[in-house]
Amino acid sequence: MPSRTRQKLGGAAAHRAGGNAPEASGLIDLSRTESPWGPPAEVADAIASSIAGLNRYPDRQCAALCAKLAEFYGVEPDQIAVGGGSKALVQDLLATACGGGEVVFSVPCSSGYEEAAMHAGAAVVKVPLDVQQRCDLDALAQAITPHTRAVIVSNPHSPTGSYRTSAELSRFISLMPAELTVVIDEAYHEYERIEPLEASLELVRHYSNVAIVRSFSKAYGLAGLGIGYCIAHSGLAAELRRVTAQRGVSSPAQLAAAKMLEHETYRHIARHTAMAVSLRKRFEKGLRLAGIAHIPSSANFVTLLMDPKTGAARMRSAGVRVLPLEEPGGIRITIGTEEQMQQVCRTLGFELPGE
């Protein structure tokens, strides 16, 4: 049975990537789901070019970036909303959808979901993952009540990396009331290789209550700028823009994100993403050969199923920081560079397999 909780904001408890304390120099930090590669020089140049205009407020509607994203994905500019990262966009979506009521999502999950629901004044309905550590779409559907205002599906799911196909999601969404907002958090979608990367955009074309949230913080390597975007039906996107415009996104972040979508720059990002996917697959192959239990991942991390405290301490003793997870019980390791993953593998007792 799903559990219903309504806590104070300070009581939201879930996995928190990396904590807040800075790490000692020399420690490899694979606890956060960041790209180990920074943006290309062209993006740094775009950021530098914005410095002269820092005395001016940014375009709160992010019109130029919305136009660029619309062109990139083959949608209309009024279907795009830009915000301060995927978590901020989820919070803003709930602010537009809820007005009380309930928000349903799977656990364990990003800490941002519970906090976002609380900021929206909504009660939280938590639904456990299925036996394969995926979002249990049947259980989520059963948890919907007349009080439900929104449901969140993280895909690939964090912190497990599991994936549900667009066909599975379409069947799930077809069961939802039309007035309920379905938020699909695709912060890690660039790392997915089960189906075409843009397959989920068909959901927006078929359902007016679907909002797909994506991030420039992961594959694009712009975590330090805090920028993400949402693709939705024009009516839902317009409601979202009214909320996101209240906070806005900095001019440097907008310029950097737009630069990322240009052909040559995007090729640079695509190469790094392919490298991360290759390293993930090689790492998982090594784990299988070594008999180390883990959850097959479609993200830029892999969760190993072991005692979280013991596993994290073992990695830390070898100079690697990972994220211990009480649920599902294990450690999450972000995919780093080849050299970093070699060190991780040796710490676990095997060599990183070749291509």
Side-chain angles (χ1 to χ4, degrees):
M1 292 290 293
S3 64
R4 301 172 189 266
T5 65
R6 179 72 171 96
Q7 306 173 16
K8 295 181 180 179
L9 288 176
H15 84 274
R16 297 180 183 273
N20 296 317
E23 281 302 308
S25 60
L27 192 68
I28 299 172
D29 192 349
L30 300 181
S31 67
R32 297 173 172 88
T33 55
E34 303 158 332
S35 170
W37 303 286
E42 302 95 298
V43 175
D45 291 341
I47 295 172
S49 71
S50 70
I51 293 175
L54 291 184
N55 59 311
R56 304 296 184 186
Y57 288 110
D59 172 13
R60 294 188 180 275
Q61 294 295 332
C62 304
L65 179 55
C66 286
K68 181 78 76 170
L69 284 162
E71 179 183 9
F72 189 82
Y73 286 115
V75 299
E76 295 301 317
D78 65 1
Q79 292 183 261
I80 306 289
V82 174
S86 56
K87 284 187 178 181
L89 282 162
V90 170
Q91 181 173 319
D92 291 340
L93 279 162
L94 297 190
T96 66
C98 292
E102 297 174 346
V103 177
V104 178
F105 52 80
S106 299
V107 289
C109 67
S110 165
S111 61
Y113 297 164
E114 187 163 0
E115 293 166 0
M118 291 177 183
H119 278 291
V124 172
V125 179
K126 301 178 181 180
V127 177
L129 300 175
D130 66 15
V131 294
Q132 295 175 274
Q133 301 298 327
R134 304 177 304 172
C135 290
D136 190 331
L137 298 179
D138 290 336
L140 285 171
Q142 291 169 8
I144 303 301
T145 75
H147 302 291
T148 307
R149 299 292 177 265
V151 59
I152 306 171
V153 179
S154 172
N155 198 47
H157 186 71
S158 176
T160 65
S162 56
Y163 186 76
R164 302 307 301 250
T165 67
S166 297
E168 292 170 329
L169 288 172
S170 183
R171 286 193 292 272
F172 167 73
I173 297 166
S174 70
L175 302 174
M176 298 298 103
E179 65 274 12
L180 183 149
T181 301
V182 181
V183 181
I184 304 176
D185 185 351
E186 292 190 342
Y188 303 96
H189 91 285
E190 289 91 351
Y191 301 101
E192 178 270 312
R193 293 296 185 271
I194 293 175
E195 61 183 346
L197 287 176
E198 304 316 319
S200 62
L201 290 184
E202 289 300 315
L203 300 174
V204 172
R205 297 185 177 101
H206 284 89
Y207 301 101
S208 62
N209 60 336
V210 171
I212 293 177
V213 175
R214 294 178 176 173
S215 176
F216 284 101
S217 296
K218 313 302 181 184
Y220 288 90
L222 296 181
L225 290 179
I227 183 168
Y229 58 98
C230 175
I231 307 173
H233 182 272
S234 58
L236 180 54
E239 292 180 19
L240 179 57
R241 284 194 301 274
R242 281 194 286 271
V243 177
T244 58
Q246 296 175 20
R247 288 185 284 188
V249 175
S250 72
S251 297
Q254 293 183 47
L255 285 169
K259 192 68 177 179
M260 282 291 190
L261 300 174
E262 294 182 4
H263 180 67
E264 287 302 319
T265 314
Y266 186 77
R267 285 180 60 189
H268 173 97
I269 299 306
R271 285 195 299 271
H272 281 168
T273 305
M275 289 167 60
V277 170
S278 175
L279 284 165
R280 183 191 73 206
K281 291 180 177 180
R282 291 164 61 193
F283 180 46
E284 290 186 301
K285 178 181 179 181
L287 291 170
R288 290 193 298 270
L289 293 174
I292 298 175
H294 64 285
I295 302 170
S297 177
S298 289
N300 68 331
F301 56 80
V302 180
T303 294
L304 281 56
L305 299 174
M306 59 176 61
D307 180 78
K309 290 184 179 179
T310 302
R314 178 180 177 185
M315 298 305 301
R316 191 180 184 92
S317 67
V320 180
R321 186 185 186 196
V322 299
L323 183 69
L325 299 169
E326 292 184 9
E327 293 184 87
I331 58 173
R332 191 191 68 191
I333 302 177
T334 300
I335 301 301
T337 64
E338 176 143 358
E339 293 74 17
Q340 290 170 345
M341 298 313 297
Q342 287 172 345
Q343 183 166 337
V344 167
C345 292
R346 292 187 186 112
T347 304
L348 293 169
F350 63 90
E351 291 294 324
L352 179 69
E355 296 282 355

